Structure formats: C-alpha cells, structure tokens
Amino acid sequence: MTTTTMKMSRAIGAAAAAAIGLTLLTGCGGDAAALPEGWGKLDTKSLSVGYPENKGYKEQSAADRAKANAAVALKEEDGLRSGMVSVQLDFATGVDDAGEAAAAAGAGIGLGATRKNTSDVRLAGAESAREARRIDYEFTSSGEDRTPAPGTPMTGVVVAGVDSKHVPFAVRINAVKGSLSRQDLDAFVDSITVK
C-alpha cells in the first residue's frame, strides 16, 4: 500500500467514524421539536408540547388545573374555555405501547365524538419513545364547565404513546371548530418532544 493510499484510507476511516458517532449522538437522545413562532411550551417529566400562545392560549397554573392533567394551556373568550391543550401522564394501567395508549386515550374522547382519522406518527425525542398514534375527531360542546354554548362544533386531536420510562401519555388539543387551521393542528403534533 502506498503512502497516499494509506492516508486516504485513514481519512475515509476518520470520516466514517465521525459520521457513526454523530448518528449515535442524535439517535440516542433525538432532537427536540422546533416550536412555531409565537408558540409557548408546556414541559412535563415525560414530554414537552407547544401551544399557540399567539392565538390566546395561556398556561394554567398547577393550582388551577385538574389533578388528572400534568400541564394545561387554555384559551378563554368572554369567560368561556374555547380551546385547551392538555397533557395526561400515567392515565392507564397495563399499557405497553402506542397502540394500547391510543386505545385507552380514545376511550376518553367521549360518546358523542366522531373520529375523523387515526394515524401513526413519529415524535421528536427519545428514540425508544418516538412511536405514537394520532386521533383526529370532532364533537359538539356540552356547554358545561365554562365551555362554549351547547351544540357548538368543536375539533380535537389526541396523540398517545409511552415515554422512555414506559409511562403512558395522552396529549390533547380541543378548540372551537375553525379557530385552528389544519396547519396549526399538525404543528401541535410536530411540537411534541418525548423524554
């Protein structure tokens, strides 16, 4: 082997090692999801998720939110809750994967809801927890608990999975139909980073 060939072999070997190292670094932790401009972030021990702060959503304090929720952002208009982003953790037992988490979360959507689509999604974050399931649905407001007038059309998305410590999660966004675009709903899903 000539000196030139040996130098080229070493350079190729070093480049390959660097590429493998970079792949291992990004593959283990995964990258955090980027938030759209004007969005805030809810952070929990299992995941973080964005919410459209620029559309009037505000994070709710731990003292004000229901105990079942690990984090909440609300949009309130004229004293009514017209939109909500919520995170529930460890909400079901015997759940081992995204499919089981989605089945448990889907049961909580409500009897009057109409499922529009169910799809597998891949989230940002910990490699072992990136597989999740997205359920798009529609329902009408009950008018209870400061929600919009009874019969108001609503839209929702729930993303369910299991974090890297095998804790099931369900991340949900509900809003008056038409107040969030399809791009907003997709951005909500794309903003989730699992830990």
Side-chain angles (χ1 to χ4, degrees), residues 12-152:
I12 291 170
I20 291 168
L22 184 59
T23 300
L24 289 173
L25 281 174
T26 57
C28 288
D31 294 328
L35 295 180
E37 189 174 331
W39 281 45
K41 181 170 77 169
L42 300 175
D43 201 17
T44 72
K45 63 183 181 180
S46 290
L47 59 88
S48 64
V49 61
Y51 63 92
E53 198 169 39
N54 59 355
K55 294 201 175 187
Y57 286 74
K58 294 179 181 169
E59 186 170 357
Q60 193 177 38
S61 71
D64 292 333
R65 68 177 179 251
K67 289 188 179 185
N69 294 319
V72 171
L74 289 178
K75 180 177 182 178
E76 295 187 300
E77 298 175 280
D78 299 323
L80 299 177
R81 295 184 299 125
S82 60
M84 182 169 89
V85 175
S86 64
V87 179
Q88 289 182 312
L89 303 178
D90 210 8
F91 65 95
T93 57
V95 172
D96 294 320
D97 60 31
E100 292 174 353
I109 288 174
L111 294 175
T114 303
R115 289 187 192 212
K116 293 297 188 180
N117 189 41
T118 301
S119 57
D120 292 329
V121 292
R122 191 159 168 79
L123 306 175
E127 186 62 40
S128 65
R130 295 181 70 186
E131 302 302 322
R133 192 156 289 169
R134 170 181 176 164
I135 303 170
D136 290 77
Y137 58 98
E138 292 181 355
F139 62 103
T140 56
S141 175
S142 67
E144 298 172 2
D145 298 323
R146 296 188 310 114
T147 56
T152 301

Side-chain angles (χ1 to χ4, degrees), residues 5-18:
T5 305
M6 287 175 62
K7 286 182 181 176
M8 285 179 59
S9 292
R10 278 194 216 121
I12 291 170

